[in-house]
Amino acid sequence: MTALLSMLILGAVSWVFRIAFITLLPAERLPTRFQTALDHLAPAVLASIVAVELVTLLRGASPTQATALLAAAAIITAVAYQTRNVTIACALGVFTVLALHYLTA
């Protein structure tokens, strides 16, 4: 029950911060350096989420599983770098997770 309440509170606080920044300080009113930095925010957040999940998976993996996970991550990174398309990278990541799940199950 406390975990659910904590998640709801954190979600509400996150939503309030997001709405406050959008309404009180629109991106168009920010200096150019900040506007440029905002372009890198979404890829940085996505990379941090992937890194945390990958480290978590690697901690309990056997050497064979760890090699497969790192190879998949390297391939997805190379595809994302070459295509510069987040949708393609995410789709490839989902496909890879499903493939690894069903191959190791």
Side-chain angles (χ1 to χ4, degrees):
M1 183 63 181
T2 58
L4 177 62
L5 183 61
S6 299
M7 288 174 45
L8 290 174
I9 291 171
L10 287 173
V13 169
S14 174
W15 182 80
V16 167
F17 277 135
R18 190 167 89 181
I19 295 301
F21 281 116
I22 290 171
T23 57
L24 299 177
L25 188 63
E28 296 83 30
R29 291 178 37 198
L30 292 173
T32 306
R33 289 182 75 178
F34 289 136
Q35 288 180 9
T36 305
L38 284 175
D39 291 338
H40 302 287
L41 184 63
V45 169
L46 183 61
S48 66
I49 291 169
V50 169
V52 167
E53 289 298 320
L54 189 58
V55 168
T56 302
L57 288 172
L58 289 173
R59 282 193 180 140
S62 69
T64 305
Q65 291 172 332
T67 303
L69 288 169
L70 291 174
I75 291 169
I76 294 167
T77 302
V79 169
Y81 184 76
Q82 289 295 320
T83 63
R84 305 279 182 181
N85 190 326
V86 176
T87 306
I88 292 173
C90 288
L92 183 59
V94 168
F95 174 77
T96 305
V97 166
L98 291 173
L100 288 173
H101 175 73
Y102 287 113
L103 289 175
T104 58

